[in-house]
Amino acid sequence: MTTTTAPVPDRTRPLQRRDYHLTPEEVAHFDEHGYVILRDRIGGELLARLQAASTRWIADGHALEDEQDGNGDYNFATRPSGRVLFRINYLHDKQEPASLELLGSPEMLGIAESLAGPDFVPTYESLVFKNTGDGAPIDWHQDAVHPRSDRIFNVDVYLDASRKGAGSLRVAPGSQKQVVDVCQLQEEYGWDAPGVVQTELAPGDVLVHDVMLVHGSEATLANALRRTVYYEFRSAQQILTEGPWDGSFVDERLRLVSLGLDEWRRSHPDDDGFVWNVDPALAPVTGTDVEAELRVAHGVHSPGSYCSAGSVATRPNGRPV
């Protein structure tokens, strides 16, 4: 990727606290345990639109031929039952405005600003799901490993119920503070390591988790459909000083925030929205070709930690298989 310089934003600007921000107690819980659950964060018509959009995204992926992956937008795994679609990337260019509406919502951006500061950057957007009957496990892993100079986190919006005994996500509180030998964890404890919490979430609940939080879910025999929208956020300061992207990527990604705010206002013309406090030096100027701006390719990725052949390893995209 061509290096483009950009100003390092000012992180000393005070947060102008509003109702959509996380409470100090929620931020403290996130910092200590590596995650926080926000009940009923996304609801009403937006939740319904996201559920309908995800149904179409999944159908589009299933319509691909066996050798196709939609330019990498659709991720498949090989199960005993055959080729299974489990992840869809770059949601904003999939012809469903609900993903942009979610990005521009005060419920989403209030989380981002609370944890990453006013110069937050949305770095990933994906739908991860388990189809009805596809109860394959997601082994213990850390999404991305980094120097921990700043918070990097995922905001997970649940579109379906996730229950104990049905493969709901397990998290290891506090594990985000260091690189973990996830192979040893799996071999020594299986799914019942000391202190592990099995989460339960309802449609519209949000799980916010540090990208270094160890998490995973065991296999189930007859699970129901479970869909989760994942948005990752980082501060512009962290990206510009540590990578793996450059100033051009930051600018392109911040344009998505502007488009998301516009989409949210179209759907909520009578409501107060998110007040964007981005550093003026980083404020993006959107172009005229909106469709071209909806898909911002990553090019490179932060590696994650997962277990492969009995050893801790990293992989290019830092994402669970």
Side-chain angles (χ1 to χ4, degrees):
M1 179 179 289
T2 302
T3 300
T4 302
T5 59
V8 176
D10 176 14
R11 285 293 302 274
T12 65
R13 305 194 309 283
L15 177 67
Q16 302 297 316
R17 186 164 299 281
R18 300 175 187 272
D19 289 344
Y20 49 66
H21 286 118
L22 300 185
T23 66
E25 292 76 18
E26 289 167 337
V27 173
H29 190 282
F30 174 88
D31 284 338
E32 176 63 24
H33 301 289
Y35 76 99
V36 64
I37 294 175
L38 309 174
R39 302 294 182 188
D40 298 317
R41 182 77 178 187
I42 307 296
E45 294 182 357
L46 175 53
L47 177 61
R49 284 192 283 269
L50 288 166
Q51 291 167 331
S54 69
T55 298
R56 215 214 76 191
W57 294 329
I58 293 171
D60 288 348
H62 285 152
L64 295 172
E65 300 293 336
D66 285 347
E67 69 277 5
Q68 295 178 318
D69 66 359
N71 196 30
D73 286 15
Y74 300 89
N75 295 159
F76 294 84
T78 300
R79 312 275 198 235
S81 59
R83 187 170 182 253
V84 174
L85 178 67
F86 71 95
R87 183 186 184 94
I88 301 171
N89 304 305
Y90 301 116
L91 300 182
H92 303 317
D93 76 339
K94 301 293 186 292
Q95 309 303 315
E96 292 287 350
S99 67
L100 271 180
E101 180 186 350
L102 175 64
L103 176 62
S105 68
E107 292 79 12
M108 177 63 68
L109 296 184
I111 298 169
E113 188 173 45
S114 297
L115 296 178
D119 301 312
F120 56 82
V121 180
T123 47
Y124 288 93
E125 62 279 339
S126 303
L127 175 75
V128 177
F129 62 97
K130 288 187 176 182
N131 264 318
T132 303
D134 176 24
I138 299 176
D139 293 336
W140 289 122
H141 65 280
Q142 293 174 297
D143 288 335
V145 174
H146 62 99
R148 302 200 61 76
S149 61
D150 211 335
R151 301 183 183 107
I152 303 177
F153 53 94
N154 278 320
V155 181
D156 313 344
V157 179
Y158 278 72
L159 307 186
D160 303 289
S162 179
R163 300 300 184 197
K164 294 178 181 178
S168 65
L169 193 72
R170 292 178 185 245
V171 300
S175 59
Q176 79 280 2
K177 298 175 183 179
Q178 63 279 313
V179 179
V180 175
D181 186 337
V182 290
C183 292
Q184 180 182 356
L185 181 69
Q186 186 71 40
E187 293 166 2
E188 186 171 354
Y189 297 107
W191 291 109
D192 296 313
V196 163
V197 173
Q198 188 170 16
T199 63
E200 282 199 306
L201 294 107
D205 288 349
V206 167
L207 171 68
V208 187
H209 77 268
D210 190 297
V211 296
M212 284 183 64
L213 179 74
V214 173
H215 59 289
S217 60
E218 72 269 33
T220 58
L221 294 177
N223 67 288
L225 175 65
R226 190 173 74 214
R227 300 161 292 179
T228 309
V229 173
Y230 288 85
Y231 287 175
E232 185 192 89
F233 290 92
R234 310 182 185 203
S235 73
Q237 180 183 47
Q238 185 272 330
I239 295 172
L240 294 172
T241 55
E242 298 176 4
W245 305 292
D246 61 10
S248 176
F249 180 85
V250 169
D251 182 64
E252 291 173 338
R253 281 273 154 183
L254 288 177
R255 294 181 197 177
L256 289 173
V257 177
S258 182
L259 294 172
L261 289 168
D262 289 344
E263 184 59 42
W264 191 89
R265 293 188 193 102
R266 277 192 286 270
S267 298
H268 306 266
D270 299 323
D271 297 335
D272 293 331
F274 179 79
V275 179
W276 198 14
N277 301 303
V278 65
D279 191 313
L282 293 175
V285 178
T286 55
T288 57
D289 188 355
V290 173
E291 290 298 319
E293 295 188 335
L294 293 179
R295 189 183 192 281
V296 183
H298 298 106
V300 294
H301 298 270
S302 298
S305 176
Y306 75 113
C307 188
S308 176
S311 64
V312 172
T314 58
R315 57 183 160 175
N317 64 2
R319 291 298 185 262
V321 295

